[in-house]
């Protein structure tokens, strides 16, 4: 069974930064896969935030370009999302996933508020 566990969320003021981590375990090696970060706020559709290919090519949704950085450590089976200059509208539960998709992990709550 593949498991994805996100961590690193929390409460941060507007303009602050957080670094999220996602550890994959089970019969999976992320070095062979594209990895993705999503976010979902209550009442809204799940949004693709960033993607990094198995060849380490990153892609970002337009709202986060220039502020977020996705990276991976294949030896640790871990993908990261560095989030800078956070905005209140980016309050959401953040999830990672693989391509092809794995079962969703618990996500990690990011709250951007004064």
């Amino acid at each position: 069974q593949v498991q994805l566990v996100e961590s690193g969320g929390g409460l941060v003021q507007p303009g602050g930064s957080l670094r999220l981590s996602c550890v994959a375990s089970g019969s999976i090696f992320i070095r062979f896969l594209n990895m993705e970060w999503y976010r979902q706020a209550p009442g809204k559709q799940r949004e693709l935030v960033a993607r990094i290919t198995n060849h380490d090519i990153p892609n970002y949704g337009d709202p986060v370009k220039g502020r977020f950085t996705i990276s991976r450590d294949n030896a640790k089976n871990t993908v990261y999302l560095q989030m800078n200059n956070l905005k209140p509208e980016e309050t959401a539960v953040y999830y990672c996933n693989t391509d092809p998709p794995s079962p969703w992990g618990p996500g990690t709550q990011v709250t951007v508020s004064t």
Side-chain angles (χ1 to χ4, degrees), residues 37-84:
W37 281 98
Y38 297 82
R39 63 190 179 192
Q40 187 169 29
K44 294 187 176 181
Q45 294 283 90
R46 185 182 296 116
E47 175 188 17
L48 178 64
V49 175
R51 175 187 291 119
I52 185 166
T53 72
N54 60 328
H55 297 295
D56 291 331
I57 300 173
N59 296 278
Y60 302 96
D62 286 339
V64 310
K65 286 181 178 177
R67 297 185 296 114
F68 288 15
T69 302
I70 187 170
S71 61
R72 65 197 298 153
D73 186 337
N74 291 333
K76 297 181 178 179
N77 236 24
T78 300
V79 62
Y80 304 95
L81 186 68
Q82 177 68 46
M83 306 185 296
N84 297 329

